[in-house]
């Protein structure tokens, strides 16, 4: 019986399945070069103590992080609006050589002030810097949510890594800018939290943390929200595409304060073919619900020309695909306000490191928390062939 089984299985694989795979490769090279996470393991956590002072600045509000491969260091943006010190980013060393992470493994080694178009530090309350991503030109793109209450627009700007000098400002479509008559645009503190660049440095992505006013309601208990992912072409420095990202509905729990918040605080590009990791973070009343998702733009409808999702039949719009990678509540860790993520170095065992960071809001009951993971990144075809091994 086993001989008969092998006699029919081998020709099936050789003459039918393998030619189909080869043809698919020729038609879609992105399938070979795309990456997905096939495994994730928790390594440990570290905390930067509250009110730590570094070069006359208080470390806190760390809402985004990015990795410099050549120097093996990280840059973390503070969302301090100039109340503690001028807007700035910190340079961190994170040691993962012991295959774990603890407090002593995180060391702050630098701080850089950001300068505006007049080559002056940004005035207090003019920025809300949230997203950060490193480029192959030794520069940083940084996003600010602005301030809707004061009609201060959000921005995405490029800064010098060494001096903090402003180099470039990307244009933002009018649909995102706050207006009062009629009401439209981003919601306050729910705008461009995320920022990431593809490995080839040709595209930059950001997203709204919640729906634009003209796109639908903000997230509420058991009610998701419609975020927009924006794709910029860094050869032209212009926005070229937008996609719909729908958050997961989250229930509140023992919400004695009545406060609830949920949204999309960060994205991380895994390849040049529209595959990402995303964080969804919710304050549920009693603690935080934080999840990692794998995201794919494949098949998603392009919505850049749609000014308002409420003005069209949005049910016919295909959002980005996503699947849960990890619910962080399953970890034996007291979670804080996780807002940023980045890939770190390749580890000796072949895994890639993944770093998450929290924004303590400069509050005494919160922490500057850093979580480390190891992930296995594989192309779908590699996973496919691995699945065939038991048959062969």
């Amino acid at each position: 019986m086993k001989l008969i089984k092998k006699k029919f299985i081998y020709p099936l694989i050789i003459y039918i399945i393998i030619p189909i795979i080869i043809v698919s490769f020729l038609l879609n090279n992105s399938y070979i070069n795309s990456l997905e996470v096939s495994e994730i393991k928790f390594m440990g956590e570290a905390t930067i103590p509250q009110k730590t002072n570094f070069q006359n600045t208080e470390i806190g509000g760390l809402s985004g992080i990015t990795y410099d491969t050549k120097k093996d260091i990280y840059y973390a943006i503070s969302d301090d609006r100039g109340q503690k010190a001028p807007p700035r980013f910190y340079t961190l060393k994170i040691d993962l050589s012991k295959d774990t992470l603890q407090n002593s493994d995180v060391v702050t080694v630098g701080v850089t002030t950001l300068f505006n178009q007049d080559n002056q530090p940004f005035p207090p309350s003019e920025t809300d810097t949230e997203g950060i991503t490193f480029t192959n030109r030794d520069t940083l793109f940084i996003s600010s949510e602005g301030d809707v209450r004061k009609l201060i627009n959000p921005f995405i700007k490029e800064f010098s890594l060494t001096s903090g000098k402003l180099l470039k400002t990307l244009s933002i479509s009018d649909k995102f800018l706050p207006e009062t008559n009629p009401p439209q645009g981003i919601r306050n503190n729910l705008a461009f939290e995320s920022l990431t660049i593809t490995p080839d440095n040709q595209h930059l992505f950001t997203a709204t943390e919640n729906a634009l006013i003209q796109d639908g309601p903000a997230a509420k208990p058991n009610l998701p929200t419609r975020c927009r992912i924006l794709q910029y072409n860094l050869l032209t420095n212009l926005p070229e595409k937008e996609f719909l990202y729908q958050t997961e509905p989250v229930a509140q729990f023992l919400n004695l304060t009545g406060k609830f918040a949920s949204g999309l605080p960060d994205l991380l590009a895994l390849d040049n073919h529209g595959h990402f990791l995303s964080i969804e973070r919710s304050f549920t009343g009693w603690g935080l619900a934080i999840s990692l998702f794998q995201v794919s733009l494949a098949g998603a409808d392009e919505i850049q020309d749609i000014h308002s999702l409420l003005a069209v039949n949005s049910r016919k719009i295909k959002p980005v695909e996503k699947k849960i990678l990890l619910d962080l509540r399953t970890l034996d860790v007291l979670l804080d306000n996780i807002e940023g993520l980045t890939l770190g170095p390749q580890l000796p065992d072949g895994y890639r490191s993944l770093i998450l960071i929290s924004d303590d809001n400069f509050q005494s009951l919160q922490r500057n928390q850093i979580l480390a993971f190891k992930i296995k990144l594989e192309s779908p075809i590699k996973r496919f062939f691995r699945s065939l091994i038991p048959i062969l």
Side-chain angles (χ1 to χ4, degrees), residues 345-362:
Q346 195 86 10
L347 300 173
D349 58 9
Y351 286 78
R352 187 75 185 268
S353 55
L354 176 71
I355 300 293
L356 277 62
I357 198 165
S358 76
D359 174 2
D360 70 343
N361 293 305
F362 295 96

Side-chain angles (χ1 to χ4, degrees), residues 125-358:
S125 302
E126 189 175 289
T127 67
D128 182 12
T129 46
E130 299 280 358
I132 186 170
T133 190
F134 178 70
T135 79
N136 61 2
R137 300 185 298 274
D138 285 341
T139 64
L140 294 167
F141 276 100
I142 292 172
S143 62
S144 168
E145 293 189 299
D147 192 328
V148 170
R149 296 165 300 184
K150 299 178 181 178
L151 295 183
I152 297 175
N153 289 335
F155 69 63
I156 303 170
K157 296 179 183 290
E158 187 177 14
F159 295 88
S160 166
L161 179 64
T162 55
S163 68
K165 181 179 179 180
L166 176 61
L167 302 175
K168 182 188 302 175
T169 300
L170 299 185
S171 62
I172 295 174
S173 170
D174 288 346
K175 73 167 80 75
F176 295 94
L177 305 183
E179 294 288 349
T180 57
N181 189 23
Q184 71 144 46
I186 56 170
R187 289 179 158 90
N188 197 52
N189 207 31
L190 295 172
F192 299 146
E193 285 248 356
S194 55
L195 210 56
T196 187
I197 288 180
T198 53
D200 62 8
N201 272 247
Q202 292 190 16
H203 293 95
L204 177 143
F205 291 83
T206 186
T208 59
E209 188 178 359
N210 263 226
L212 300 178
I213 291 174
Q214 68 268 28
D215 282 346
K220 297 177 182 177
N222 300 305
L223 181 68
T225 191
R226 300 165 174 168
C227 307
R228 287 188 188 234
I229 294 177
L230 292 74
Q231 175 179 317
Y232 281 82
N233 185 325
L234 291 182
L235 300 179
T236 64
N237 296 316
L238 294 174
E240 61 180 7
K241 293 180 181 179
E242 294 173 19
F243 304 94
L244 174 61
Y245 180 109
Q246 296 192 136
T247 64
E248 295 299 300
V250 177
Q252 57 185 346
F253 178 70
L254 295 178
N255 194 349
L256 303 179
T257 65
K259 295 181 179 180
F260 179 88
S262 184
L264 170 64
D266 210 0
L267 289 170
L268 174 63
L270 297 177
D271 58 29
N272 304 318
H273 305 289
H275 294 91
F276 302 82
L277 294 183
S278 71
I279 300 175
E280 292 189 23
R281 174 217 46 200
S282 305
F283 176 71
T284 62
W286 185 264
L288 289 148
I290 301 169
S291 294
L292 279 173
F293 289 87
Q294 299 205 70
V295 178
S296 173
L297 302 184
D301 290 331
E302 207 278 294
I303 61 171
Q304 186 179 35
D305 293 333
I306 301 176
H307 177 79
S308 168
L309 295 179
L310 291 176
V312 299
N313 186 354
S314 59
R315 293 183 178 180
K316 292 185 177 181
I317 297 175
K318 186 177 180 180
V320 301
E321 295 179 357
K322 62 177 193 170
K323 58 182 179 181
I324 185 73
L325 177 63
L326 178 67
D327 184 340
L328 272 66
R329 290 175 294 184
T330 61
L331 303 176
D332 187 21
V333 170
L334 179 61
L335 296 174
D336 212 285
N337 183 33
I338 299 294
E339 288 195 355
L341 79 167
T342 187
L343 292 175
Q346 195 86 10
L347 300 173
D349 58 9
Y351 286 78
R352 187 75 185 268
S353 55
L354 176 71
I355 300 293
L356 277 62
I357 198 165
S358 76

Side-chain angles (χ1 to χ4, degrees), residues 39-150:
E39 190 177 351
I40 183 168
K41 298 178 181 180
F42 182 56
M43 295 179 67
E45 71 164 325
T47 300
I48 300 175
Q50 272 275 330
K51 297 189 179 299
T52 295
N53 189 280
F54 183 83
Q55 296 184 5
N56 298 317
T57 70
E58 181 180 335
I59 299 176
L62 304 180
S63 59
I65 188 168
T66 189
Y67 180 62
D68 183 337
T69 305
K70 290 185 295 183
K71 298 178 182 177
D72 189 26
I73 55 177
Y74 300 79
Y75 309 110
I77 187 70
S78 172
D79 68 358
D80 179 9
R81 299 190 180 207
Q83 308 306 313
K84 306 284 185 180
R88 60 203 180 277
F89 67 87
Y90 291 93
T91 303
L92 308 176
K93 289 285 292 183
I94 301 177
D95 182 9
L96 300 175
S97 62
K98 298 184 291 293
D99 204 38
T100 186
L101 181 68
Q102 53 192 15
N103 291 351
S104 59
D105 296 324
V106 179
V107 179
T108 305
V109 296
V111 60
T112 305
T113 299
L114 300 174
F115 293 91
N116 62 16
Q117 66 275 10
D118 300 320
N119 206 28
Q120 298 294 319
F122 286 90
S125 302
E126 189 175 289
T127 67
D128 182 12
T129 46
E130 299 280 358
I132 186 170
T133 190
F134 178 70
T135 79
N136 61 2
R137 300 185 298 274
D138 285 341
T139 64
L140 294 167
F141 276 100
I142 292 172
S143 62
S144 168
E145 293 189 299
D147 192 328
V148 170
R149 296 165 300 184
K150 299 178 181 178

